[in-house]
Amino acid sequence: MRCKDPIIVVKDLYVNFYTYAGVVKAINGVSFEICRGETYCLVGETGCGKSVTSRALTRLIKSPGRIEKGEIYFYPEPGKKIDIMKLSDEEIRKIRGYDIAYIFQDPSASLDPLYTIGYHVAETMAFHGVVQSIKEGIKKAAQVLRLAKMPDPESRVRAFPHELSGGMKQRAVIGMSLANRPKLLIADEPTTALDVTIQAQIMNFLKELKEKENLTLLLITHNMGLVAEMCDTVAVMYAGEIVEEAPVEELFKNPLHPYTRGLMRAVPKHVGKNVTLESIPGTVPNLIFPPPGCRFHPRCPYRFDPCDKKRPPLIEIEKNHKVACWLYAKEGGKR
Amino acid sequence: MNSKELINYMKSTFGEPMVEVVDLKKYFPVKGVFRTIGYVRAVDGVSFIVPKGKTLGLVGESGCGKTTTGRLILRLIEPTSGHVYFDGKDIFKLKGKKLLEFRRKAQMVFQDPYMSLDPRMTVFDIIMEPIRAHKIKVEDPQKFVVNLLYEVGLNETHLYRYPHEFSGGQRQRIAVARVLALEPEFIVLDEPTSALDVSVQAQILNMLKDLQAKRGLTYLFISHDLGVVRYMSDYIAVMYLGKIVEMGPAEEVFEKPLHPYTKMLFASMPVPDPFEAKKKPKVEVIGEPPSPINPPPGCRFHPRCQYAMDICRKKEPPLVMAEKGHFVACWLYAKK
Ligand SMILES: Nc1ncnc2c1ncn2[C@@H]1O[C@H](COP(=O)(O)OP(=O)(O)OP(=O)(O)O)[C@@H](O)[C@H]1O
Ligand SMILES: Nc1ncnc2c1ncn2[C@@H]1O[C@H](COP(=O)(O)OP(=O)(O)OP(=O)(O)O)[C@@H](O)[C@H]1O
Ligand SMILES: [Mg+2]
Ligand SMILES: [Mg+2]
């Protein structure tokens, strides 16, 4: 166990999508835990399964997708264990948006153009019984928006989504997700659609909020810069699997998995014209017919015997530093 | 400094220009119910040069006018006013054969490799299309296309496949091959990698650099990813709300940004290194970019600037040379 006091524990999660083209094996045996109060990052490239993993935490997977297998435990307080997979749909809805809240990449998708920002905030609060009526909720909305650093919150309560800029919309959505004081906030690429200066504002604000509210943050991103600035622990995903997990400084100092190493070297940072970036050859595999063995092996410069035959287990190499790669595991080792 | 002098300074420090842009403006009308109620000042009087065989990186936030500038330089749209000289010739005066020749020499690669390729055409036809449109004769089309495919890291097995059979990175390679078919001298690369994953992005950037070295190409590289721009560019121009606020050699601008906006932009960029990130001072980012329909009077950045003085609210700062080859439009550096 990595965490003394975990807030979420996921064991051996499998998610498939049943499409016309075939079964997409999107999440393939993912296990991890998030400690209370930390910022845990999921990084990886398009389609590697970051969003699906985070949505599975509250069983927010819609048809044609299905959680095939796996255990998910949520601890709203230390020692209080909730088996997410055993809850009824009604019970899970009570947790989603209350104890566990989401912010998605595109704020417009979370906002109904026909309703004011105040109404949106009020509605989430009313649904979870935090306020008794929408009317009461609208009164409290300005306070919630102020928490999300919305400029001029009193008048923004009456604004409609289209009257706000992208950055302000995202603040409204963050306000909505914070309205019920969640314990776990899942932010899925919350700033990808925004400008860097606005991104910096929102990230600073999330940091402040974490300090003030003892919030746990699951941050999903493909931006290594954000990983470095925001995270305590990082899990690197590749083609539906976690291939490496480590504390952020350890991961940057000592990346072990060939994919993580490639990823680190492919990010342009402070390099001018006369340096050459390294790139990872090939492309991300198709998850209907994923490569056998290690899913990274077709692109891996270090592949050897077992790699195309057997899947490497995720094992701890150093304290809290886990990697799934045959370079570090003994073949035939325990899975 | 008027724009003529400015351009002359740039020529003397950056080198001979492939493209010369003078006082370029593009206003888009905003239509009300009955009449035009205002203008989006997408590009509002910019002057700069793109030196031959070099890369000028154009950076700035969403809506600041980067794409519009790129489209103007290729005469894909007509300007409201101003001039663009390509190899010394005013492109907005070109006609007939001369215009066609310009259209061959100056090309654009777009951000989205999914949109820019016709899904019903094979790779072979996609690459041959501009050749046919320009009525250029090639001896052996198949060999011609295969050679281009090799140049962008693809091969003959890809010839008769359709775009949907390729990944994003491969599609961007096809788009580049198509542009290369016309043997251009100048290419506007508008966010060519922002739809791609980092591991694939590096492949494309390296390919673009190799092609530049091999063919002596001149690039205008548009992006809002500063890491990518730094990796690609010899010179940088920073835009804010339709204006160039700073320009200079890439290393110099990155190491020693002068304009308060450039500083804010650079400080906002997350550094991919947790050790440096901890040391980095916290940025105070004030406000959001205002609308280009009613830009603030005086310096457009003043409502977000922590150094704003009286003059900044009243008078627009001119672009001046603060140091040799390093230009900035800010009253902190200009004579009042
Ligand atoms: N509704 C769906 N139908 C079919 N396949 C799906 C569906 N949703 C997700 N997938 C597949 O599941 C895999 C994981 O997708 P996911 O959205 O989690 O990726 P991601 O890591 O969040 O990527 P991105 O960075 O692009 O957001 C992908 O291969 C995707 O194609
Ligand atoms: N055809 C058009 N009609 C009206 N307004 C336009 C048109 N094209 C661009 N604009 C406006 O001009 C401004 C500059 O747009 P432009 O696309 O050049 O910005 P950009 O810097 O490329 O932004 P991004 O980084 O989002 O691509 C924006 O406010 C945009 O809305
Ligand atoms: Mg996603
Ligand atoms: Mg653009």
Side-chain angles (χ1 to χ4, degrees):
Chain A
M1 285 287 251
R2 186 174 68 85
C3 308
K4 281 200 199 75
D5 175 18
I7 191 164
I8 267 277
V9 174
V10 177
K11 287 185 186 156
D12 219 19
L13 179 71
Y14 286 79
V15 180
N16 288 349
F17 287 89
Y18 294 85
T19 68
Y20 289 113
V23 182
V24 180
K25 290 147 204 122
I27 305 299
N28 191 40
V30 159
S31 304
F32 64 98
E33 52 183 47
I34 302 175
C35 312
R36 193 180 308 280
E38 77 171 337
T39 298
Y40 190 91
C41 278
L42 283 178
V43 284
E45 299 177 277
T46 304
C48 72
K50 306 179 293 293
S51 298
V52 171
T53 301
S54 71
R55 297 172 78 101
L57 296 183
T58 63
R59 297 198 341 229
L60 198 58
I61 304 285
K62 294 199 191 87
S63 172
R66 203 166 75 196
I67 300 181
E68 295 298 321
K69 181 175 157 202
E71 298 164 49
I72 302 168
Y73 303 105
F74 172 54
Y75 298 81
E77 288 151 35
K80 187 175 164 200
K81 179 169 173 176
I82 295 175
D83 186 341
I84 296 277
M85 295 306 289
K86 292 227 169 79
L87 297 181
S88 69
D89 288 351
E90 181 59 30
E91 287 167 326
I92 190 78
R93 263 201 299 275
K94 287 264 158 65
I95 291 184
R96 193 190 300 140
Y98 185 72
D99 278 333
I100 304 180
Y102 288 89
I103 312 171
F104 296 106
Q105 172 172 344
D106 178 9
S108 304
S110 314
L111 297 169
D112 186 330
L114 298 178
Y115 292 96
T116 62
I117 299 301
Y119 184 91
H120 281 93
V121 176
E123 196 194 47
T124 33
M125 290 199 283
F127 179 82
H128 290 285
V130 175
V131 291
Q132 297 316 308
S133 65
I134 296 275
K135 217 169 150 192
E136 186 194 341
I138 290 181
K139 278 199 193 122
K140 290 210 169 134
Q143 222 173 311
V144 171
L145 292 177
R146 182 169 300 114
L147 185 71
K149 293 262 173 84
M150 175 78 85
D152 194 12
E154 283 79 13
S155 68
R156 292 286 150 49
V157 166
R158 271 170 275 121
F160 287 89
H162 73 266
E163 298 174 79
L164 303 185
S165 70
M168 283 201 273
K169 267 189 227 159
Q170 194 58 297
R171 265 177 259 237
V173 170
I174 294 176
M176 277 159 63
S177 63
L178 295 176
N180 298 322
R181 306 266 157 141
K183 304 207 161 78
L184 174 63
L185 180 64
I186 299 176
D188 189 351
E189 317 234 14
T191 53
T192 310
L194 305 175
D195 277 326
V196 276
T197 57
I198 308 303
Q199 167 171 289
Q201 283 176 347
I202 288 188
M203 288 296 154
N204 278 342
F205 156 65
L206 284 177
K207 273 189 203 160
E208 273 172 37
L209 192 77
K210 273 201 59 199
E211 280 163 26
K212 270 208 304 253
E213 309 264 316
N214 190 31
L215 190 72
T216 307
L217 184 63
L218 171 58
L219 179 66
I220 294 170
T221 178
H222 54 248
N223 183 330
M224 282 300 194
L226 286 185
V227 171
E229 295 204 342
M230 296 294 292
C231 302
D232 299 308
T233 306
V234 188
V236 181
M237 290 192 75
Y238 184 79
E241 298 173 354
I242 290 181
V243 296
E244 186 159 2
E245 182 198 81
V248 67
E249 277 143 357
E250 166 72 11
L251 189 85
F252 277 78
K253 203 167 58 189
N254 186 24
L256 295 174
H257 199 284
Y259 174 66
T260 316
R261 291 191 183 174
L263 204 59
M264 299 272 187
R265 284 197 291 249
V267 181
K269 53 177 172 199
H270 302 314
V271 292
K273 258 206 123 177
N274 30 26
V275 189
T276 302
L277 274 188
E278 287 180 45
S279 60
I280 305 175
T283 51
V284 180
N286 165 338
L287 295 182
I288 295 178
F289 302 106
C294 169
R295 286 185 170 186
F296 185 61
H297 87 260
R299 301 175 74 185
C300 184
Y302 306 104
R303 66 171 170 267
F304 63 116
D305 236 12
C307 301
D308 63 349
K309 298 182 189 77
K310 267 178 76 181
R311 176 176 173 185
L314 185 68
I315 52 169
E316 190 163 336
I317 300 292
E318 272 161 55
K319 187 161 164 39
N320 293 337
H321 194 160
K322 296 182 191 137
V323 63
C325 173
W326 285 118
L327 290 172
Y328 307 96
K330 287 210 185 64
E331 202 190 337
K334 235 175 47 208
R335 163 92 176 87
Chain B
M1 211 179 327
N2 64 30
S3 9
K4 192 95 185 245
E5 285 169 345
L6 190 70
I7 295 275
N8 282 337
Y9 271 119
M10 287 182 182
K11 282 183 189 166
S12 68
T13 53
F14 301 164
E16 194 195 341
M18 178 92 244
V19 179
E20 201 178 316
V21 178
V22 186
D23 286 334
L24 193 61
K25 289 187 184 168
K26 179 69 190 181
Y27 293 179
F28 292 107
V30 181
K31 298 246 162 52
V33 183
F34 299 110
R35 59 193 172 86
T36 298
I37 50 173
Y39 290 91
V40 178
R41 305 202 206 165
V43 175
D44 202 8
V46 301
S47 302
F48 62 90
I49 65 166
V50 188
K52 263 195 184 139
K54 305 280 189 207
T55 301
L56 173 69
L58 192 57
V59 302
E61 293 177 278
S62 189
C64 70
K66 304 181 295 297
T67 299
T68 306
T69 304
R71 288 160 57 88
L72 285 167
I73 293 180
L74 296 180
R75 201 176 162 183
L76 299 177
I77 47 177
E78 298 291 321
T80 303
S81 66
H83 302 274
V84 173
Y85 302 93
F86 183 84
D87 237 350
K89 288 185 270 311
D90 187 338
I91 63 161
F92 298 116
K93 298 217 173 92
L94 296 177
K95 282 201 198 76
K97 253 199 164 133
K98 288 263 163 50
L99 180 59
L100 213 62
E101 194 187 316
F102 168 71
R103 295 238 174 275
R104 183 185 69 69
K105 284 184 179 169
Q107 296 286 326
M108 188 150 181
V109 173
F110 298 93
Q111 165 174 355
D112 200 342
Y114 301 89
M115 305 275 283
S116 57
L117 303 176
D118 187 335
R120 290 156 305 183
M121 285 163 68
T122 64
V123 168
F124 176 78
D125 287 323
I126 287 171
I127 294 175
M128 281 305 288
E129 191 204 41
I131 292 289
R132 291 178 184 136
H134 280 265
K135 301 195 172 69
I136 295 168
K137 287 211 177 65
V138 284
E139 287 283 317
D140 181 347
Q142 181 148 338
K143 195 170 157 210
F144 173 78
V145 174
V146 169
N147 282 341
L148 284 167
L149 287 177
Y150 276 123
E151 248 189 293
V152 296
L154 299 171
N155 58 54
E156 58 277 356
T157 67
H158 299 117
L159 261 182
Y160 298 108
R161 296 218 220 147
Y162 291 88
H164 74 264
E165 299 173 54
F166 293 91
S167 69
Q170 286 174 320
R171 284 186 234 210
Q172 202 55 296
R173 288 174 193 271
I174 297 167
V176 172
R178 176 187 148 98
V179 156
L180 291 179
L182 292 171
E183 304 201 332
E185 293 169 11
F186 172 62
I187 306 179
V188 174
L189 299 153
D190 191 0
E191 316 246 11
T193 60
S194 52
L196 306 176
D197 279 321
V198 265
S199 73
V200 180
Q201 164 176 290
Q203 296 171 8
I204 300 293
L205 296 178
N206 288 339
M207 172 190 80
L208 290 171
K209 275 183 157 188
D210 291 346
L211 288 171
Q212 177 171 47
K214 219 163 57 189
R215 292 178 170 236
L217 296 167
T218 303
Y219 289 155
L220 177 69
F221 191 94
I222 297 174
S223 177
H224 54 248
D225 185 327
L226 299 172
V228 168
V229 167
R230 184 167 189 176
Y231 180 58
M232 294 301 290
S233 309
D234 300 287
Y235 302 96
I236 303 274
V238 183
M239 277 186 91
Y240 186 75
L241 230 55
K243 293 258 174 201
I244 287 183
V245 296
E246 183 160 359
M247 184 170 172
E251 277 317 294
E252 168 141 355
V253 175
F254 274 105
E255 288 302 322
K256 233 176 66 185
L258 297 175
H259 199 284
Y261 172 65
T262 315
K263 289 182 186 168
M264 184 165 110
L265 188 68
F266 288 3
S268 298
M269 192 72 191
V271 264
D273 180 338
F275 302 96
E276 266 183 58
K278 294 251 150 67
K279 280 184 269 162
K280 203 176 90 168
K282 212 176 128 218
V283 225
E284 233 1 277
V285 178
I286 308 165
E288 301 190 17
S291 146
I293 298 176
N294 276 315
C299 169
R300 284 167 194 208
F301 186 60
H302 87 253
R304 303 177 76 191
C305 182
Q306 54 175 320
Y307 307 102
M309 304 170 283
D310 228 20
I311 187 167
C312 307
R313 294 178 194 100
K314 295 190 190 108
K315 249 179 99 181
E316 201 169 303
L319 194 64
V320 297
M321 187 153 83
E323 277 155 50
K324 192 163 167 26
H326 194 158
F327 300 84
V328 63
C330 171
W331 285 120
L332 291 173
Y333 304 93
K335 278 203 203 70
K336 279 145 214 159

